[in-house]
């Protein structure tokens, strides 16, 4: 129907419910918890997506299927692997990589996936929110560099059109995806000069306050408490003095 498309999206939704019919239960085998503490249905997912990929590539050998390594499907069993034409989007929130424990946990899981799968991308969330800018550019630099080293060859991100706070991140992302060795700090200066001159110094001060607030925060909340749907905890990152400067 759409021969120009390179892939179709069959990624899972946010729900955690899976078929419990006898046939699917047989494929799943004995349930166990995965690295996120959720019931692991990845074996069922491999069976399902590989079956589709085999049928699709029999007719269209150059087409791919895009899926998510997310929630119950995050971990890949050691004895199976995805079809070469399945693109796995490994969900990794770069915004929370100020937490070293998160870094130590997530990048090895990405490397484990790239060792066994031909096509692996990272799936992340680029937005901040309308009140407090999420701007961890040093964390972002490390995230892209380490993801490339781990073998990821694609990048997919959810974003919102809030240009005032997040436009700069999309600019940095596009640049760094083409060349992971680029420094976001240098690109930020270029962006500020071309976009905001003669007020480039002031906007750089704004971004620096936002960066320090995010990257130097105390780890007092679960990582999920720093996402867009938890703005109350994010307000704690900016005190009165910082807010006046911004």
């Amino acid at each position: 129907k759409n021969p120009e498309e390179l892939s179709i999206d069959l990624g899972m939704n946010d729900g955690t419910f899976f078929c419990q019919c006898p046939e699917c239960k047989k494929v799943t085998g004995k349930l166990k918890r995965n690295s996120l503490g959720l019931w692991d249905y990845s074996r069922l997912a491999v069976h399902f997506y590989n079956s589709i990929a085999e049928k699709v590539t029999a007719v269209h050998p150059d087409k791919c299927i895009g899926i998510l390594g997310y929630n119950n499907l995050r971990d890949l069993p050691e004895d199976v692997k995805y079809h070469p034409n399945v693109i796995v989007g490994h969900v990794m929130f770069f915004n929370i990589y100020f937490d070293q424990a998160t870094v130590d946990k997530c990048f090895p899981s990405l490397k484990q996936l790239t060792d066994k799968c031909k096509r692996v991308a990272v799936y992340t969330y680029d937005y901040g929110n309308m009140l407090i800018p999420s701007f961890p550019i040093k964390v972002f630099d490390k995230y892209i560099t380490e993801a490339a080293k781990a073998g990821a060859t694609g990048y997919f991100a959810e974003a919102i059109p809030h240009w005032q706070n997040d436009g700069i991140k999309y600019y940095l992302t596009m640049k760094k995806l083409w060349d992971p060795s680029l420094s976001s700090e240098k690109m930020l200066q270029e962006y500020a000069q071309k976009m905001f001159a003669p007020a480039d110094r002031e906007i750089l001060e704004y971004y620096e306050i936002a960066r320090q607030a995010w990257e130097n925060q105390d780890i007092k909340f679960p990582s999920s408490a720093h996402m867009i749907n938890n703005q109350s905890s994010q307000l704690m990152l900016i005190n009165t003095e910082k807010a006046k400067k911004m």
Side-chain angles (χ1 to χ4, degrees):
K1 186 177 180 180
N2 298 296
E4 74 283 357
E5 298 293 339
L6 299 176
S7 66
I8 57 172
D9 178 20
L10 292 178
M12 66 173 289
N13 293 322
D14 286 337
T16 57
F17 299 98
F18 295 83
C19 182
Q20 300 298 317
C21 75
E23 186 176 349
C24 286
K25 280 183 146 182
K26 184 178 179 181
V27 174
T28 300
K30 185 178 180 180
L31 278 175
K32 62 178 182 179
R33 300 283 184 178
N34 66 10
S35 59
L36 298 177
L38 302 171
W39 292 117
D40 191 342
Y41 283 93
S42 55
R43 190 177 298 277
L44 181 62
V46 172
H47 175 79
F48 174 69
Y49 290 126
N50 282 357
S51 297
I52 296 175
E54 288 171 4
K55 289 179 172 60
V56 170
T57 55
V59 182
H60 304 285
D62 59 335
K63 303 303 180 183
C64 294
I65 294 170
I67 71 168
L68 289 179
Y70 177 53
N71 279 354
N72 307 73
L73 313 184
R74 183 174 180 80
D75 301 335
L76 185 65
E78 293 183 0
D79 59 331
V80 297
K81 60 181 179 181
Y82 282 109
H83 187 281
N85 287 49
V86 172
I87 304 171
V88 184
H90 194 57
V91 177
M92 298 170 63
F93 304 78
F94 88 83
N95 282 340
I96 61 175
Y97 278 68
F98 58 82
D99 177 8
Q100 188 60 43
T102 300
V103 176
D104 295 340
K105 181 179 181 181
C106 288
F107 281 109
S109 69
L110 175 62
K111 184 63 170 66
Q112 183 183 33
L113 195 58
T114 59
D115 285 343
K116 297 188 66 177
C117 299
K118 182 179 180 180
R119 307 170 193 269
V120 178
V122 291
Y123 185 105
T124 189
Y125 303 80
D126 276 356
Y127 45 62
N129 62 50
M130 301 300 180
L131 293 176
I132 305 301
S134 163
F135 194 67
I137 62 167
K138 290 186 177 180
V139 168
F140 174 73
D141 263 357
K142 182 176 181 179
Y143 176 89
I144 295 295
T145 300
E146 294 300 316
K149 286 182 180 178
T153 56
Y155 183 93
F156 190 96
E158 294 184 22
I160 55 176
H162 188 224
W163 187 257
Q164 295 89 332
N165 281 339
D166 290 338
I168 175 58
K169 291 193 294 187
Y170 308 147
Y171 174 83
L172 297 179
T173 299
M174 295 300 101
K175 290 277 193 176
K176 197 162 179 69
L177 288 179
W178 281 108
D179 184 357
S181 68
L182 292 175
S183 166
S184 289
E185 189 171 356
K186 291 182 179 179
M187 289 189 287
L188 175 61
Q189 294 174 357
E190 176 189 35
Y191 177 89
Q193 184 176 28
K194 291 183 177 180
M195 193 76 177
F196 295 101
D200 50 315
R201 188 180 70 176
E202 287 77 9
I203 199 66
L204 285 172
E205 290 177 358
Y206 171 87
Y207 285 134
E208 180 61 15
I209 294 171
R211 182 196 68 77
Q212 290 184 17
W214 195 274
E215 294 183 350
N216 299 331
Q217 62 184 283
D218 293 330
I219 305 172
K220 294 180 180 179
F221 306 99
S223 58
S224 60
H226 300 277
M227 296 304 293
I228 190 171
N229 57 334
N230 290 277
Q231 297 185 18
S232 58
S233 62
Q234 292 186 10
L235 286 172
M236 298 177 67
L237 300 179
I238 305 292
N239 59 28
T240 303
E241 181 181 356
K242 290 178 182 177
K244 287 181 178 179
K245 288 182 179 180
M246 295 178 81

